Amino acid sequence: SDFRNNCCRSWTRTIESLGDGMNKDDLQRYFVAGSQDFPTLTLSEYEAKIVAMMQTGITAYQFREKGAGLTDSATRFALARRLQAAAKAANVRFFIDDDVDLALAIGADGIHVGQDDRDIRTVIAETPPEMIVGLSVRNVDEMQAAQAVAGLDYLGVGPIFATTTKADAADPLGLAGLTTVLAHNEHHLPTVGIGGISLATLPALARTGLDGVAVVSLLSQAPDATTVVQEMTRLWGMAE
């Protein structure tokens, strides 16, 4: 677009700024969801559910929209804008999954990309320095490669445990595998763990050195999400 062509070439990030734009506390209770994670709800009910989730004490929300009912770009844009406003009102960081154009259009707090999405260096080149950029890493090789990427703000590490919310998920790392991958985070980039996370595993995860956890079903399927978030906070704090 003209917007990109006119300004983005002048945006620069340096290796020294790795992780600088990221407050690690923002990763502590990171909720990831889209309409596909609430299959029994209408789109308006789903939106109300996410807006309510902003008030539970989560620290970040990632708009990861894979639902068949939200393929129209104008509808996605309008919904993302409304959810972004709800996040801002609740002091929750608002991330977009993969869609750089949408993240730029609404001025999201951040963008998160996977290894199989758009090339991470391209994403960094296309986004302003103040936009947080996160990347998924699944193993030691990907963790090591991420250390050389200038302008990267945080890493999503996993899946740690088996997950049903991502059909193409890699094999789970387990706690031992997670510890090994984290040992190669030489630049000490902020890290958030993801994949099959339960309340029972939180204390052990906190002790690995992760800065937080990203969850889907733990909250999307919770009868009372506020209570779960409070318990997440308590259990995480026990390990500090």
Side-chain angles (χ1 to χ4, degrees):
S1 69
D2 291 339
F3 173 73
R4 272 196 201 160
N5 293 338
N6 290 340
C7 71
C8 300
R9 292 193 185 105
S10 65
W11 288 335
T12 57
R13 298 162 184 256
T14 64
I15 197 80
E16 288 79 17
S17 72
L18 281 166
D20 281 357
M22 186 76 236
N23 180 346
K24 290 184 178 185
D25 291 342
D26 292 335
L27 297 175
Q28 199 170 116
R29 296 174 298 280
Y30 188 137
F31 181 50
V32 181
S35 60
Q36 70 279 356
D37 299 301
F38 299 91
T40 64
L41 302 186
T42 65
L43 284 180
S44 60
E45 288 170 339
Y46 150 67
E47 180 178 349
K49 189 88 169 178
I50 299 297
V51 170
M53 201 70 76
M54 302 294 188
Q55 303 293 331
T56 61
I58 61 172
T59 55
Y61 168 67
Q62 184 187 127
F63 182 71
R64 182 177 178 271
E65 186 49 62
K66 308 293 183 185
L70 268 171
T71 53
D72 175 65
S73 59
T75 305
R76 283 168 58 91
F77 173 86
L79 174 60
R81 255 272 154 76
R82 293 193 299 271
L83 294 179
Q84 178 189 31
K88 187 173 183 179
N91 198 29
V92 170
R93 288 275 197 169
F94 188 82
F95 291 86
I96 297 290
D97 172 65
D98 184 33
D99 192 336
V100 177
D101 291 334
L102 179 59
L104 286 172
I106 69 169
D109 291 318
I111 177 89
H112 187 93
V113 294
Q115 293 285 334
D116 302 321
D117 297 329
R118 201 182 307 206
D119 177 72
I120 187 62
R121 288 177 174 82
T122 303
V123 171
I124 290 168
E126 291 175 345
T127 51
E130 66 271 15
M131 187 175 286
I132 298 164
V133 178
L135 173 70
S136 296
V137 295
R138 299 167 293 193
N139 51 51
V140 168
D141 287 346
E142 290 174 357
M143 174 62 87
Q144 289 178 320
Q147 304 304 304
V149 180
L152 194 52
D153 292 298
Y154 79 93
L155 299 170
V157 187
I160 302 170
F161 306 110
T163 177
T164 57
T165 57
K166 201 166 188 289
D168 58 347
D171 291 336
L173 291 166
L175 280 171
L178 171 66
T179 302
T180 300
V181 171
L182 290 175
H184 291 84
N185 185 18
E186 294 166 8
H187 285 293
H188 304 290
L189 282 164
T191 52
V192 60
I194 192 164
I197 288 163
S198 65
L199 290 175
T201 57
L202 281 183
L205 290 172
R207 288 191 291 270
T208 65
L210 285 171
D211 295 298
V213 287
V215 299
V216 184
S217 56
L218 181 63
L219 290 180
S220 68
Q221 297 176 15
D224 181 358
T226 300
T227 300
V228 175
V229 172
Q230 288 171 346
E231 190 66 359
M232 288 175 71
T233 308
R234 186 185 73 82
L235 291 167
W236 197 260
M238 285 172 59
E240 292 182 342

Short mmCIF file of all heavy atoms in Angstrom, two decimals, residues 98-123:
data_model
loop_
_atom_site.label_atom_id
_atom_site.label_comp_id
_atom_site.label_asym_id
_atom_site.label_seq_id
_atom_site.Cartn_x
_atom_site.Cartn_y
_atom_site.Cartn_z
N ASP A 98 -0.68 -12.93 12.94
CA ASP A 98 -0.28 -13.15 11.55
C ASP A 98 -0.63 -12.03 10.56
O ASP A 98 0.13 -11.76 9.65
CB ASP A 98 -0.88 -14.49 11.06
CG ASP A 98 -0.43 -14.85 9.65
OD1 ASP A 98 0.71 -14.50 9.30
OD2 ASP A 98 -1.22 -15.45 8.91
N ASP A 99 -1.77 -11.37 10.71
CA ASP A 99 -2.29 -10.43 9.71
C ASP A 99 -1.66 -9.05 9.89
O ASP A 99 -2.18 -8.19 10.61
CB ASP A 99 -3.82 -10.35 9.85
CG ASP A 99 -4.48 -9.64 8.68
OD1 ASP A 99 -3.80 -8.84 8.01
OD2 ASP A 99 -5.68 -9.87 8.45
N VAL A 100 -0.54 -8.82 9.21
CA VAL A 100 0.19 -7.55 9.35
C VAL A 100 -0.64 -6.38 8.87
O VAL A 100 -0.65 -5.31 9.49
CB VAL A 100 1.53 -7.61 8.57
CG1 VAL A 100 2.26 -6.28 8.64
CG2 VAL A 100 2.41 -8.72 9.12
N ASP A 101 -1.36 -6.56 7.76
CA ASP A 101 -2.18 -5.47 7.23
C ASP A 101 -3.22 -5.02 8.25
O ASP A 101 -3.44 -3.82 8.44
CB ASP A 101 -2.88 -5.91 5.93
CG ASP A 101 -1.89 -6.11 4.79
OD1 ASP A 101 -0.81 -5.47 4.82
OD2 ASP A 101 -2.18 -6.90 3.88
N LEU A 102 -3.86 -5.97 8.91
CA LEU A 102 -4.86 -5.63 9.92
C LEU A 102 -4.21 -4.94 11.12
O LEU A 102 -4.71 -3.94 11.63
CB LEU A 102 -5.62 -6.88 10.36
CG LEU A 102 -6.68 -6.69 11.44
CD1 LEU A 102 -7.75 -5.70 10.99
CD2 LEU A 102 -7.32 -8.04 11.81
N ALA A 103 -3.06 -5.48 11.56
CA ALA A 103 -2.36 -4.89 12.70
C ALA A 103 -1.98 -3.44 12.42
O ALA A 103 -2.13 -2.56 13.27
CB ALA A 103 -1.12 -5.71 13.04
N LEU A 104 -1.49 -3.17 11.21
CA LEU A 104 -1.13 -1.81 10.83
C LEU A 104 -2.36 -0.92 10.71
O LEU A 104 -2.35 0.24 11.14
CB LEU A 104 -0.37 -1.81 9.50
CG LEU A 104 1.07 -2.32 9.52
CD1 LEU A 104 1.60 -2.45 8.10
CD2 LEU A 104 1.96 -1.41 10.34
N ALA A 105 -3.42 -1.46 10.13
CA ALA A 105 -4.63 -0.66 9.89
C ALA A 105 -5.27 -0.16 11.18
O ALA A 105 -5.77 0.96 11.23
CB ALA A 105 -5.64 -1.48 9.08
N ILE A 106 -5.24 -1.00 12.22
CA ILE A 106 -5.88 -0.58 13.47
C ILE A 106 -4.87 -0.04 14.49
O ILE A 106 -5.27 0.48 15.54
CB ILE A 106 -6.69 -1.72 14.12
CG1 ILE A 106 -5.77 -2.83 14.64
CG2 ILE A 106 -7.74 -2.28 13.15
CD1 ILE A 106 -6.49 -3.85 15.51
N GLY A 107 -3.57 -0.14 14.18
CA GLY A 107 -2.56 0.30 15.13
C GLY A 107 -2.53 -0.58 16.36
O GLY A 107 -2.54 -0.09 17.50
N ALA A 108 -2.50 -1.89 16.15
CA ALA A 108 -2.48 -2.85 17.26
C ALA A 108 -1.22 -2.66 18.10
O ALA A 108 -0.21 -2.13 17.63
CB ALA A 108 -2.54 -4.28 16.72
N ASP A 109 -1.29 -3.11 19.36
CA ASP A 109 -0.10 -3.06 20.21
C ASP A 109 1.00 -3.97 19.67
O ASP A 109 2.19 -3.70 19.84
CB ASP A 109 -0.44 -3.50 21.64
CG ASP A 109 -1.33 -2.50 22.36
OD1 ASP A 109 -1.08 -1.29 22.22
OD2 ASP A 109 -2.26 -2.95 23.04
N GLY A 110 0.57 -5.08 19.04
CA GLY A 110 1.57 -6.02 18.58
C GLY A 110 1.04 -6.97 17.53
O GLY A 110 -0.15 -7.05 17.25
N ILE A 111 1.98 -7.70 16.94
CA ILE A 111 1.69 -8.72 15.93
C ILE A 111 2.44 -9.99 16.33
O ILE A 111 3.58 -9.91 16.81
CB ILE A 111 2.14 -8.25 14.52
CG1 ILE A 111 1.92 -9.33 13.43
CG2 ILE A 111 3.60 -7.81 14.49
CD1 ILE A 111 0.58 -9.29 12.80
N HIS A 112 1.79 -11.14 16.17
CA HIS A 112 2.46 -12.40 16.47
C HIS A 112 2.43 -13.28 15.22
O HIS A 112 1.38 -13.43 14.59
CB HIS A 112 1.77 -13.14 17.62
CG HIS A 112 2.55 -14.35 18.05
ND1 HIS A 112 3.48 -14.31 19.06
CD2 HIS A 112 2.57 -15.63 17.56
CE1 HIS A 112 4.04 -15.51 19.19
NE2 HIS A 112 3.51 -16.32 18.27
N VAL A 113 3.58 -13.84 14.89
CA VAL A 113 3.65 -14.70 13.71
C VAL A 113 4.27 -16.04 14.06
O VAL A 113 5.09 -16.15 14.97
CB VAL A 113 4.45 -14.04 12.55
CG1 VAL A 113 3.72 -12.83 12.02
CG2 VAL A 113 5.85 -13.69 12.97
N GLY A 114 3.86 -17.06 13.32
CA GLY A 114 4.41 -18.40 13.48
C GLY A 114 5.53 -18.63 12.48
O GLY A 114 5.77 -17.82 11.59
N GLN A 115 6.20 -19.75 12.62
CA GLN A 115 7.30 -20.10 11.73
C GLN A 115 6.83 -20.30 10.29
O GLN A 115 7.60 -20.13 9.34
CB GLN A 115 8.00 -21.37 12.23
CG GLN A 115 8.73 -21.20 13.54
CD GLN A 115 10.04 -20.44 13.42
OE1 GLN A 115 10.67 -20.43 12.35
NE2 GLN A 115 10.45 -19.78 14.50
N ASP A 116 5.56 -20.67 10.12
CA ASP A 116 5.04 -20.95 8.79
C ASP A 116 4.25 -19.79 8.22
O ASP A 116 3.65 -19.90 7.14
CB ASP A 116 4.17 -22.21 8.82
CG ASP A 116 4.94 -23.42 9.34
OD1 ASP A 116 6.13 -23.55 8.98
OD2 ASP A 116 4.36 -24.22 10.10
N ASP A 117 4.22 -18.65 8.94
CA ASP A 117 3.54 -17.46 8.45
C ASP A 117 4.53 -16.62 7.64
O ASP A 117 5.56 -17.10 7.20
CB ASP A 117 2.98 -16.65 9.63
CG ASP A 117 1.92 -17.42 10.41
OD1 ASP A 117 1.22 -18.24 9.78
OD2 ASP A 117 1.80 -17.22 11.62
N ARG A 118 4.24 -15.34 7.48
CA ARG A 118 5.13 -14.45 6.74
C ARG A 118 6.51 -14.40 7.40
O ARG A 118 6.63 -14.47 8.62
CB ARG A 118 4.51 -13.05 6.72
CG ARG A 118 5.04 -12.19 5.59
CD ARG A 118 4.48 -10.79 5.60
NE ARG A 118 3.02 -10.74 5.64
CZ ARG A 118 2.33 -9.72 5.17
NH1 ARG A 118 2.94 -8.69 4.63
NH2 ARG A 118 1.02 -9.71 5.26
N ASP A 119 7.55 -14.26 6.60
CA ASP A 119 8.92 -14.23 7.12
C ASP A 119 9.05 -13.15 8.19
O ASP A 119 8.62 -12.01 8.01
CB ASP A 119 9.89 -13.95 5.98
CG ASP A 119 11.32 -13.82 6.47
OD1 ASP A 119 11.91 -14.85 6.84
OD2 ASP A 119 11.82 -12.68 6.53
N ILE A 120 9.66 -13.50 9.31
CA ILE A 120 9.73 -12.61 10.46
C ILE A 120 10.49 -11.32 10.14
O ILE A 120 10.10 -10.23 10.60
CB ILE A 120 10.34 -13.33 11.69
CG1 ILE A 120 10.25 -12.43 12.94
CG2 ILE A 120 11.76 -13.78 11.43
CD1 ILE A 120 8.86 -12.06 13.37
N ARG A 121 11.52 -11.38 9.35
CA ARG A 121 12.27 -10.16 9.01
C ARG A 121 11.43 -9.23 8.16
O ARG A 121 11.52 -8.00 8.28
CB ARG A 121 13.59 -10.50 8.34
CG ARG A 121 14.62 -11.10 9.30
CD ARG A 121 15.91 -11.51 8.60
NE ARG A 121 16.93 -11.94 9.55
CZ ARG A 121 17.01 -13.15 10.07
NH1 ARG A 121 16.10 -14.07 9.75
NH2 ARG A 121 17.97 -13.47 10.93
N THR A 122 10.60 -9.80 7.29
CA THR A 122 9.69 -8.99 6.48
C THR A 122 8.67 -8.30 7.37
O THR A 122 8.37 -7.12 7.21
CB THR A 122 8.97 -9.88 5.44
OG1 THR A 122 9.94 -10.55 4.63
CG2 THR A 122 8.05 -9.05 4.56
N VAL A 123 8.13 -9.05 8.33
CA VAL A 123 7.16 -8.48 9.27
C VAL A 123 7.77 -7.32 10.03
O VAL A 123 7.16 -6.25 10.17
CB VAL A 123 6.65 -9.56 10.25
CG1 VAL A 123 5.81 -8.94 11.37
CG2 VAL A 123 5.84 -10.62 9.51
#
